[in-house]
C-alpha cells in the first residue's frame, strides 16, 4: 500500500533514480570515452605531462619529415622537436602514425647537446629498463609499437626549459599500382571503434584465435584554429627512381618541385595541419616496356659493434626485391567469364560527411560496370547488417533500379560491427555458382580496433572468394585495409577525395574482371627455391606488378625465375642480378615482410612460437616490432628529484572531413549497447510516477467519472 506523500517528492525520487539511465541513453549515439592513463590512448604531435596534479601539454615546435626515394625503397626520417616550457622536471609521451609497411630501425634522442642512440631490445626488457632509468633520474626514450602503423614514444626526465628532439628512421617499399608509383605518409590517427561483442556466425562456429588488440581510445581537439596552428608538419622528398619522371602530383596537398635530370626534389608549400594523410604519386618514362626489375643488397644494413661476432653475416647473404610488371597485350584475348560481385559499404558514424558521399558514388559506379551475365548484391553495415537481396541477383534493369534506390537511402550512423558484415559477404562463397568469379569489394575507413580478429575471420571464411578493400576518407586505417586485402588475396585501393571516385573505381573493376597472371611461383635457375615472401604469391592484375622479397647465400648467387600462367599458357621471366640495381635497406624490408607473414599466420597453437620468431628476427635486424622496442638511456643521472609524474594523453585533430561536435569530442558512434532498454525503463518509471500523482489528486479520467456519478 502506498504511503501518501506529496506528489513532488515522488516525482523527484523517481527522476533521481531514473536519471543515470536517461544519461546513459543520451550517450547511446556517442559513447563518450573519457581519457585515462592507459598506454594505448591516442594523441599525436604533442607531449603531455602532469605537474602538481595539473595536466599540461607542450605543442611540437615543428614536425619535420625527410624522405629519400631510391628505386622502390624510401628511407624516411621523422623529427619532432618539443620544448619543456616549465621550470620543473617532467616525464612525457606521445603517439604518432607511420605507414603500415614501415620497417622502423633507428631512433635518436637529442637533449641539449647530447645525442643518445636507441638500441633494439625485447619489449618487456626495454620497458623495465626505461622505468628503472626514470626512477634513477636518467634521461631516456622508449619507442614501442602499438599497431604496425601506430607507435608510442615515452620520454623520461626532461629538464626545466630544455628542448627535446626525437628522431625516428624507417624504410618502406614504394607502391606501384595502375601505372603510378606512390607513397603515403599518415599525418593523423583516426579514432577506432571497439566492438562490444561479436554477433557473427564465425564467432559461434570457430574460436577467434587471434587475440584482440588493446583499444585505441581517442580524445579529440575541436578548437579549430587554435589546434590547427600547433599541429603542423613540413615534408621534403628527394626522388631518384632510375627513370625520368614524366608526371608528379600530390592529390591532397599543395607542393613545389624542382627537377634535375632523373632526380626530383619535392616539398610542401609551407607547413600544413596534421589532419589528412599525405600522398605523392608519379609516373616515369618506362611505361609498360619494362617486364621486370630487381634490387639487391649484400650483407646487412645494421651492424652492432658491441656484438659483432653475433650480428655480422658470416658468410654474407644476398637480399633482393623483385618487381614483375605483368604483360598487358594478352588482356584483349582473354575470355570474359561471369562473376558474382558483392559490394559491401560501411555506413557507421565514422563515415558521416564526405566519406559516405564518396562510398555511395563508388557503389553507383560499380553497378554501371556490371554485365548482363554477372550477378550482384549490396550489403551495408553499422551496428547491424542488412542486405539488398537475400542472395546475389542477375544484373538486369529491374534489380539494378532497386539497387540505386537502396543506395540513395543509405545514411551514416551507428557503430562499426564489421565481423557480421564479413559473415554475410563471405559465408555464401561456400554456395558460389560453379565457374563464376566471386569478388567482394569492401568499402570502409577501417576505423576498428579488433583487426587481429578480422584477419583471422577473413582467412577462415574466404574460400574461393577474393576480397578487395577500398579505403574511404582522409585518414583510413591502412594497416587493416592492406592486410585484409592481403589475407583476402585481393588488392587495396585508396580514395581520398570525391573527384577520385569514378577513376579509381572504374580502374578497379576493369582490373579485377580477370587476373592476367595466375599460379605465380619463384625459384632459382637450378630449380631450388629461395627464402621468399609472400610464400603464396597472389594473382597479378593489370597494371599491378608482383613484388617479392627473397634471400640467398652470396656464394650461391644465381638468376631467379618468376613463372605463372597467362590464359592457361605457361609463362616465365628470368631475373639476372647483373642487370639489377644495388640498394640499401633491402635486408630490413625482407625481415619486415617475414615478420608480417609470421603474424598473419599466427594461430592459438603457435602463438608463443611466433612471438619468439618475431622477436628473434627483430633483434637480428634491429627493427621495432610487436615483440621489440627501441631504448635510448643516458648513463648519467641528471634529475636530482627522481620523482614519478603520471602521464595521460591529451587532444589532437580530427581527420579532415569528419563530423563531430565539440561536446562529442570526436569519439566514434557506439550504438551496440543496451541503453535503449534503460531509456524505456526510465521513461516507464516517469510515466508511472505521473499517473500515481494524478491518482492521488483524483484527476484520472476514471476517478472523475466515478466522482461525478456519485454526485
Amino acid at each position: 500500500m502506498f504511503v501518501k506523500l506529496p506528489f513532488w517528492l515522488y516525482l523527484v525520487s523517481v527522476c533521481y533514480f531514473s536519471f543515470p539511465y536517461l544519461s546513459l541513453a543520451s550517450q547511446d549515439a556517442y559513447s563518450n570515452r573519457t581519457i585515462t592513463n592507459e598506454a594505448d590512448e591516442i594523441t599525436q604531435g604533442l607531449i603531455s605531462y602532469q605537474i602538481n596534479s595539473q595536466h599540461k601539454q607542450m605543442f611540437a615546435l615543428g614536425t619535420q619529415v625527410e624522405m629519400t626515394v631510391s628505386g622502390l625503397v624510401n628511407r624516411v626520417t621523422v623529427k619532432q622537436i618539443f620544448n619543456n616550457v616549465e621550470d620543473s622536471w617532467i616525464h612525457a609521451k606521445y603517439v604518432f602514425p607511420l605507414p603500415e609497411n614501415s620497417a622502423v630501425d633507428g631512433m635518436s634522442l637529442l637533449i641539449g647537446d647530447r645525442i643518445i642512440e636507441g638500441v633494439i631490445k625485447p619489449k618487456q626488457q626495454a620497458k623495465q629498463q626505461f622505468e628503472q632509468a626514470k626512477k634513477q633520474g636518467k634521461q631516456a626514450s622508449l619507442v614501442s609499437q602499438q599497431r604496425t602503423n601506430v607507435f608510442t614514444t615515452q620520454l623520461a626526465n626532461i629538464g626545466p626549459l630544455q628542448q627535446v628532439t626525437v628522431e625516428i628512421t624507417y624504410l618502406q617499399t614504394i607502391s606501384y599500382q595502375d601505372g603510378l608509383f606512390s607513397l603515403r605518409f599518415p599525418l593523423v590517427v583516426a579514432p577506432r571503434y571497439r566492438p562490444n561483442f561479436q554477433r557473427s556466425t564465425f564467432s559461434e562456429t570457430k574460436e577467434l584465435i587471434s587475440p584482440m588488440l588493446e583499444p585505441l581510445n581517442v580524445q579529440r581537439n575541436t578548437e579549430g584554429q587554435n589546434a590547427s596552428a600547433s599541429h603542423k608538419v613540413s615534408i621534403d622528398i628527394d626522388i631518384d627512381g632510375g627513370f625520368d619522371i614524366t608526371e608528379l602530383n600530390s592529390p591532397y596537398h599543395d607542393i613545389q618541385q624542382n627537377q634535375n635530370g632523373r632526380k626530383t626534389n619535392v616539398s610542401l608549400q609551407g607547413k600544413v595541419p596534421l589532419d589528412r594523410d599525405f600522398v605523392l604519386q608519379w609516373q616515369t618514362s618506362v611505361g609498360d616496356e619494362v617486364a621486370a626489375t630487381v634490387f639487391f643488397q649484400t650483407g646487412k644494413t645494421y651492424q652492432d659493434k658491441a656484438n659483432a661476432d653475433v650480428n655480422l653475416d658470416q658468410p654474407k647473404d644476398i637480399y633482393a626485391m623483385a618487381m614483375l610488371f605483368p604483360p598487358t597485350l594478352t588482356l584483349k584475348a582473354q575470355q570474359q567469364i561471369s562473376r558474382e560481385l558483392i559490394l559491401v559499404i560501411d555506413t557507421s558514424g565514422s563515415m558521416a560527411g564526405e566519406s559516405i558521399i564518396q562510398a555511395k558514388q563508388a557503389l553507383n559506379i560499380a553497378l554501371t560496370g556490371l554485365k548482363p551475365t554477372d550477378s550482384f548484391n549490396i550489403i551495408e553495415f553499422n551496428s547491424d547488417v542488412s542486405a539488398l537481396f537475400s542472395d546475389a541477383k542477375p544484373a538486369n534493369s529491374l534489380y539494378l533500379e532497386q539497387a540505386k534506390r537502396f543506395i540513395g537511402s543509405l545514411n551514416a550512423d551507428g557503430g562499426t560491427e564489421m565481423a557480421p558484415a564479413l559473415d554475410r559477404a563471405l559465408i555464401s562463397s561456400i554456395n558460389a555458382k560453379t565457374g563464376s568469379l566471386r569478388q567482394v569489394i569492401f568499402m570502409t575507413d577501417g576505423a576498428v580496433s579488433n583487426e587481429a580478429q578480422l584477419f583471422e575471420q577473413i582467412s577462415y571464411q574466404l574460400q574461393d572468394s577474393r576480397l578487395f578493400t577500398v579505403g574511404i576518407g582522409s585518414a583510413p586505417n591502412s594497416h587493416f585495409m592492406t592486410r585484409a586485402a592481403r589475407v583476402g588475396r585481393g588488392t587495396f585501393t585508396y580514395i581520398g577525395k570525391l573527384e577520385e571516385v569514378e577513376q579509381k573505381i572504374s580502374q578497379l573493376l576493369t582490373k579485377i574482371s580477370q587476373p592476367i597472371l595466375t599460379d605465380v611461383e619463384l625459384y632459382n635457375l637450378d630449380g631450388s627455391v629461395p627464402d621468399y615472401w609472400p610464400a603464396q604469391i597472389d594473382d597479378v592484375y593489370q597494371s599491378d606488378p608482383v613484388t617479392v622479397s627473397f634471400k640467398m647465400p652470396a656464394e650461391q648467387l644465381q638468376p631467379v625465375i618468376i613463372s605463372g600462367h597467362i590464359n592457361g599458357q605457361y609463362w616465365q621471366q628470368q631475373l639476372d642480378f647483373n642487370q639489377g640495381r644495388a640498394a640499401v635497406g633491402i635486408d630490413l624490408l625482407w625481415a619486415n615482410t617475414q615478420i608480417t607473414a609470421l603474424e598473419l599466420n599466427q594461430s592459438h597453437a603457435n602463438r608463443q612460437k611466433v612471438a619468439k620468431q618475431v622477436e628473434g628476427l627483430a633483434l637480428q635486424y634491429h627493427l621495432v616490432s610487436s615483440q621489440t622496442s627501441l631504448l635510448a638511456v643516458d648513463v648519467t643521472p641528471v634529475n636530482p628529484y627522481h620523482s614519478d609524474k603520471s602521464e595521460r594523453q591529451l587532444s589532437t585533430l580530427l581527420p579532415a572531413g569528419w563530423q563531430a561536435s565539440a561536446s562529442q569530442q570526436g569519439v566514434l558512434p557506439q550504438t551496440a549497447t543496451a541503453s535503449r532498454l534503460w531509456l524505456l525503463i526510465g521513461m516507464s518509471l516517469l510515466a508511472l510516477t505521473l499517473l500515481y500523482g494524478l491518482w492521488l489528486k483524483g484527476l484520472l479520467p476514471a476517478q472523475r467519472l466515478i466522482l461525478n456519478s456519485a454526485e
Side-chain angles (χ1 to χ4, degrees):
M1 185 173 180
F2 284 109
V3 178
K4 191 169 182 179
L5 294 174
F7 167 67
W8 64 267
L9 185 58
Y10 281 104
L11 183 60
V12 169
S13 301
V14 173
C15 287
Y16 176 80
F17 289 107
S18 301
F19 184 74
Y21 304 128
L22 294 173
S23 299
L24 178 62
S26 68
Q27 296 180 21
D28 186 43
Y30 284 88
S31 176
N32 195 357
R33 297 183 177 182
T34 57
I35 297 303
T36 63
N37 290 329
E38 297 180 17
D40 277 341
E41 296 157 7
I42 293 299
T43 187
Q44 173 190 331
L46 54 87
I47 290 183
S48 60
Y49 55 98
Q50 184 178 16
I51 295 179
N52 299 326
S53 301
Q54 189 175 23
H55 292 290
K56 300 184 179 182
Q57 64 186 14
M58 54 178 172
F59 289 115
L61 291 180
T63 298
Q64 303 169 4
V65 181
E66 297 178 357
M67 302 184 182
T68 302
V69 178
S70 300
L72 291 177
V73 180
N74 186 21
R75 164 61 78 180
V76 185
T77 300
V78 181
K79 185 184 297 184
Q80 291 185 302
I81 306 169
F82 306 91
N83 267 346
N84 178 6
V85 298
E86 303 290 340
D87 56 1
S88 305
W89 292 84
I90 64 170
H91 307 314
K93 66 180 178 181
Y94 70 102
V95 179
F96 56 96
L98 289 179
E100 75 286 343
N101 63 343
S102 57
V104 180
D105 66 323
M107 178 265 287
S108 298
L109 177 63
L110 288 73
I111 304 178
D113 296 330
R114 299 185 62 82
I115 300 177
I116 310 169
E117 295 291 341
V119 178
I120 205 73
K121 292 180 178 293
K123 198 166 192 175
Q124 292 303 318
Q125 178 184 339
K127 179 66 174 177
Q128 292 173 0
Q129 292 182 7
F130 174 79
E131 293 297 332
Q132 182 179 6
K134 182 194 294 185
K135 293 178 181 178
Q136 293 174 346
K138 297 178 180 179
Q139 294 182 318
S141 179
L142 179 69
V143 174
S144 304
Q145 175 184 299
Q146 288 189 29
R147 301 286 197 277
T148 60
N149 61 340
V150 180
F151 294 79
T152 302
T153 294
Q154 292 179 263
L155 302 168
N157 295 300
I158 308 304
L161 306 178
Q162 265 190 335
Q163 184 180 87
V164 180
T165 300
V166 179
E167 188 173 289
I168 311 293
T169 60
Y170 70 86
L171 282 169
Q172 71 171 142
T173 307
I174 296 299
S175 171
Y176 181 83
Q177 189 175 41
D178 298 323
L180 286 175
F181 292 91
S182 66
L183 62 87
R184 184 160 74 95
F185 184 76
L187 295 178
V188 61
V189 180
R192 306 286 173 84
Y193 173 87
R194 178 166 49 130
N196 293 314
F197 55 88
Q198 295 294 337
R199 297 170 294 170
S200 69
T201 304
F202 176 65
S203 61
E204 296 170 0
T205 58
K206 183 178 184 291
E207 179 187 2
L208 289 171
I209 52 183
S210 293
M212 179 181 286
L213 298 175
E214 290 299 316
L216 299 177
N217 293 332
V218 185
Q219 186 76 6
R220 296 289 161 175
N221 197 321
T222 56
E223 297 176 359
Q225 293 297 327
N226 292 336
S228 299
S230 59
H231 295 65
K232 297 280 190 175
V233 63
S234 64
I235 300 178
D236 187 84
I237 307 170
D238 289 320
I239 304 175
D240 181 8
F243 304 97
D244 292 334
I245 294 178
T246 58
E247 184 178 343
L248 182 145
N249 71 88
S250 176
Y252 317 123
H253 293 87
D254 294 328
I255 59 172
Q256 54 189 17
Q257 53 182 297
N258 295 301
Q259 195 162 348
N260 184 12
R262 291 183 173 179
K263 296 183 178 180
T264 303
N265 177 263
V266 180
S267 60
L268 285 172
Q269 291 187 2
K271 293 187 176 182
V272 301
L274 291 164
D275 65 351
R276 176 186 291 276
D277 292 353
F278 172 80
V279 175
L280 185 70
Q281 53 194 26
W282 63 93
Q283 288 181 320
T284 66
S285 58
V286 64
D288 293 327
E289 297 177 4
V290 173
T293 185
V294 61
F295 297 84
F296 67 93
Q297 169 189 325
T298 303
K300 293 181 189 171
T301 298
Y302 176 79
Q303 303 293 352
D304 187 352
K305 297 179 180 179
N307 300 287
D309 57 329
V310 176
N311 286 290
L312 285 174
D313 278 337
Q314 297 292 339
K316 293 186 181 298
D317 289 323
I318 297 293
Y319 299 89
M321 178 182 296
M323 187 175 184
L324 172 66
F325 293 80
T328 58
L329 297 178
T330 56
L331 183 64
K332 296 179 181 178
Q334 290 181 331
Q335 180 182 1
Q336 296 294 328
I337 61 175
S338 62
R339 59 178 170 173
E340 180 184 346
L341 189 65
I342 308 300
L343 302 168
V344 185
I345 179 173
D346 179 353
T347 57
S348 63
S350 66
M351 292 283 289
E354 185 178 339
S355 295
I356 191 65
I357 298 174
Q358 294 176 14
K360 291 170 70 171
Q361 182 179 354
L363 286 178
N364 281 308
I365 293 172
L367 293 180
T368 63
L370 292 171
K371 303 184 301 294
T373 56
D374 295 335
S375 59
F376 77 101
N377 199 0
I378 301 177
I379 298 171
E380 67 132 340
F381 71 94
N382 41 56
S383 299
D384 301 302
V385 178
S386 62
L388 173 59
F389 307 118
S390 58
D391 54 10
K393 299 297 183 183
N396 57 37
S397 58
L398 174 63
Y399 292 122
L400 288 174
E401 186 60 33
Q402 293 182 38
K404 291 177 182 178
R405 290 197 298 268
F406 179 77
I407 294 171
S409 66
L410 296 176
N411 293 301
D413 191 20
T416 314
E417 296 291 338
M418 201 171 285
L422 287 169
D423 275 341
R424 193 68 176 267
L426 297 177
I427 204 68
S428 60
S429 64
I430 299 174
N431 302 317
K433 298 178 181 178
T434 304
S436 63
L437 185 65
R438 192 172 195 280
Q439 298 172 329
V440 178
I441 297 181
F442 206 94
M443 303 178 190
T444 178
D445 57 10
V448 292
S449 65
N450 61 327
E451 295 103 325
Q453 282 185 324
L454 298 174
F455 297 149
E456 186 72 28
Q457 179 179 355
I458 293 168
S459 177
Y460 178 71
Q461 292 183 326
L462 187 67
Q463 301 291 326
D464 295 326
S465 297
R466 294 293 182 266
L467 178 66
F468 300 87
T469 57
V470 177
I472 300 291
S474 59
N477 180 1
S478 58
H479 161 57
F480 170 74
M481 308 295 286
T482 303
R483 291 200 176 184
R486 168 68 67 183
V487 176
R489 303 192 66 186
T491 62
F492 166 51
T493 301
Y494 172 46
I495 298 176
K497 60 182 180 180
L498 197 61
E499 292 78 9
E500 296 178 329
V501 174
E502 182 174 1
Q503 177 191 2
K504 291 195 173 184
I505 292 298
S506 298
Q507 287 176 341
L508 175 62
L509 293 173
T510 300
K511 179 172 58 182
I512 69 177
S513 61
Q514 188 168 344
I516 294 176
L517 191 64
T518 60
D519 306 320
V520 184
E521 295 180 346
L522 181 118
Y523 50 90
N524 293 322
L525 190 61
D526 62 5
S528 60
V529 180
D531 185 357
Y532 70 89
W533 187 91
Q536 184 179 23
I537 303 174
D538 295 336
D539 297 337
V540 182
Y541 298 91
Q542 182 185 12
S543 301
D544 275 359
V546 58
T547 302
V548 184
S549 298
F550 59 96
K551 180 182 76 168
M552 65 175 65
E555 66 272 13
Q556 298 178 13
L557 182 62
Q558 58 182 302
V560 295
I561 305 294
I562 293 183
S563 66
H565 288 86
I566 300 174
N567 286 343
Q569 301 296 315
Y570 180 77
W571 178 92
Q572 71 174 29
Q573 174 73 35
Q574 179 174 308
L575 301 179
D576 196 331
F577 286 95
N578 293 331
Q579 300 174 355
R581 300 185 60 201
V584 177
I586 302 297
D587 61 327
L588 303 181
L589 297 174
W590 174 86
N592 201 47
T593 57
Q594 298 298 309
I595 290 173
T596 300
L598 287 168
E599 292 178 337
L600 280 178
N601 292 301
Q602 179 177 271
S603 66
H604 181 74
N606 67 5
R607 184 175 300 136
Q608 291 184 349
K609 179 181 178 181
V610 166
K612 291 182 179 179
Q613 289 176 313
V614 169
E615 180 181 303
L617 272 170
L619 290 174
Q620 184 180 2
Y621 291 89
H622 203 256
L623 294 174
V624 177
S625 70
S626 59
Q627 306 299 320
T628 54
S629 300
L630 273 168
L631 175 67
V633 178
D634 197 358
V635 295
T636 306
V638 293
N639 182 1
Y641 303 104
H642 300 182
S643 59
D644 283 337
K645 299 172 178 62
S646 61
E647 302 162 344
R648 77 177 187 120
Q649 301 301 318
L650 300 180
S651 59
T652 184
L653 296 178
L654 275 172
W658 280 50
Q659 294 182 344
S661 67
S663 62
Q664 292 161 349
Q665 293 294 321
V667 293
L668 289 185
Q670 306 282 332
T671 57
T673 69
S675 55
R676 289 188 177 88
L677 174 61
W678 294 118
L679 176 62
L680 179 62
I681 293 174
M683 294 300 294
S684 299
L685 288 173
L686 286 173
L688 288 173
T689 302
L690 291 173
L691 288 173
Y692 179 63
L694 294 173
W695 177 77
L696 288 176
K697 294 182 176 296
L699 298 178
L700 290 177
Q703 290 178 297
R704 299 183 68 178
L705 182 62
I706 294 173
L707 290 173
N708 292 336
S709 300
E711 292 174 357

